[in-house]
Amino acid sequence: MKMHNYTLFLEWTGNKGEGTKNYRSYERSHRISTAVTNQVIEGSSDPAFLGDKTKYNPEELFVASLASCHMLWYLHLCASNNIVVLEYTDEPLGKMVEEKDGSGHFTEVILKPTVIIKHKTNKQLAKSLHAEAQKMCFIANSCNFPVLHQPEILTAKL
């Protein structure tokens, strides 16, 4: 077994001068970066929790992590099976329940990838590889709820 470690830098940028004096006295804004990249992800909380709707919230980033991991495994599996993928898009949907006490949890995430492949003879195999990608995805394997997929496989009009 190999162990991998992931580190990042998280900085709260929402102190409006009084810190967390009360629930409305601060912004939920923060920055996420790593020591290696020069790119910063601007984050906040969901607008339902007084967040900035122009920034990513943790729930969106979580769903994005699931969709990204699935896509990367899927592309790997397609390459290994001689399926030429020309385009891949996804519009995943994460469903979360908020409890009366304010806590919450995801109940499911549905990945909805649309994949354009080069040859129509590979269409069935291309579709089946989503199930294999699901088994391989590190993020999906770490979840305690279902991660479903509803792929659409199209062939290129050459």
Side-chain angles (χ1 to χ4, degrees):
M1 181 179 359
K2 264 181 162 174
M3 182 61 82
H4 298 268
N5 296 301
Y6 301 93
T7 61
L8 57 87
F9 182 70
L10 176 73
E11 176 188 15
W12 174 50
T13 59
N15 185 345
K16 297 192 301 187
E18 296 183 296
T20 57
K21 182 178 178 182
N22 61 53
Y23 187 69
R24 297 193 179 279
S25 69
Y26 63 96
E27 292 179 7
R28 278 64 180 164
S29 298
H30 55 277
R31 292 185 185 122
I32 302 166
S33 60
T34 69
V36 179
T37 64
N38 292 328
Q39 298 178 352
V40 172
I41 297 172
E42 294 286 341
S44 188
S45 63
D46 184 307
F49 308 108
L50 303 181
D52 182 342
K53 68 181 180 182
T54 67
K55 298 177 181 175
Y56 293 103
N57 64 57
E59 295 80 13
E60 289 170 326
L61 293 171
F62 180 69
V63 172
S65 293
L66 279 166
S68 296
C69 189
H70 180 89
M71 177 193 70
L72 294 168
W73 269 109
Y74 180 79
L75 295 174
H76 170 84
L77 293 167
C78 284
S80 297
N81 284 276
N82 299 313
I83 296 173
V84 178
V85 175
L86 301 174
E87 293 180 34
Y88 185 110
T89 59
D90 195 352
E91 295 186 45
L93 169 65
K95 296 182 180 183
M96 188 186 85
V97 171
E98 183 182 350
E99 303 293 343
K100 289 180 183 177
D101 67 359
S103 67
H105 62 276
F106 278 86
T107 58
E108 71 179 12
V109 170
I110 304 169
L111 305 178
K112 301 177 183 184
T114 299
V115 182
I116 299 177
I117 60 173
K118 190 171 185 178
H119 304 290
K120 67 179 177 180
T121 56
N122 295 335
K123 203 169 182 179
Q124 193 55 42
L125 177 57
K127 188 169 187 173
S128 72
L129 289 177
H130 281 284
E132 189 65 26
Q134 175 72 17
K135 292 177 190 173
M136 301 303 292
C137 175
F138 308 139
I139 310 297
N141 285 330
S142 302
C143 294
N144 64 355
F145 57 84
V147 179
L148 310 171
H149 54 277
Q150 299 172 349
E152 180 178 15
I153 309 296
L154 306 171
T155 52
K157 297 175 184 165
L158 301 175

